[in-house]
Amino acid sequence: MAEKTERNELRRYFRARRRSLSADVHFNNSLDVTRHLLNSGHLLRGKRIGGYWASDGEVDLELLLTELGYRHRRLALPVVSDRGHMNFFSYQPGARLIANRYNIPEP
């Protein structure tokens, strides 16, 4: 039980840190991650790539996903079922997304 409590405390800590970032810092972090992942070449070798739609101050991958879509990569985003199971479904940049019960857009 202590491990679960510690994990929840870490989540709260990092969530608070993310929320404290300015919009400019958040945007620049997202750009840095996008540049790094594209320049590394790892994602460009893959044909199917799973991502996520940022929420609660997470690094925004929308620019990365858009660029990968232009480069003809098959993209997928997670969808959380009512039972809490996560599956990945096809996503194309610009496609209509629907907010789930956590208000996170899903394909």
Side-chain angles (χ1 to χ4, degrees):
M1 188 73 165
E3 188 176 306
K4 186 175 182 179
T5 301
E6 183 178 326
R7 185 175 27 178
N8 287 338
E9 288 175 17
L10 281 172
R11 283 184 177 151
R12 278 192 290 276
Y13 171 77
F14 285 113
R15 191 174 287 134
R17 294 279 313 259
R18 287 193 314 258
R19 288 176 180 160
S20 72
L21 298 175
S22 71
D24 285 342
V25 168
H26 184 70
F27 178 76
N28 287 326
N29 287 347
S30 295
L31 279 178
D32 287 345
V33 167
T34 297
R35 284 187 194 119
H36 175 76
L37 290 172
L38 289 173
N39 290 335
S40 75
H42 295 298
L43 292 180
L44 300 178
R45 287 192 288 270
K47 292 188 177 161
R48 295 180 190 164
I49 300 168
Y52 64 87
W53 202 262
S55 70
D56 202 21
E58 295 170 332
V59 170
D60 189 345
L61 298 181
E62 187 175 1
L63 290 173
L64 176 64
L65 295 173
T66 299
E67 181 60 30
L68 292 170
Y70 288 140
R71 295 181 186 204
H72 307 290
R73 296 310 183 268
R74 292 177 58 189
L75 305 172
L77 293 177
V79 173
V80 180
S81 73
D82 291 337
R83 294 182 172 173
H85 296 113
M86 186 182 303
N87 293 299
F88 280 77
F89 288 84
S90 182
Y91 167 73
Q92 291 186 338
R96 183 171 178 252
L97 301 174
I98 299 170
N100 66 15
R101 67 180 180 268
Y102 304 109
N103 206 31
I104 299 171
E106 297 176 331

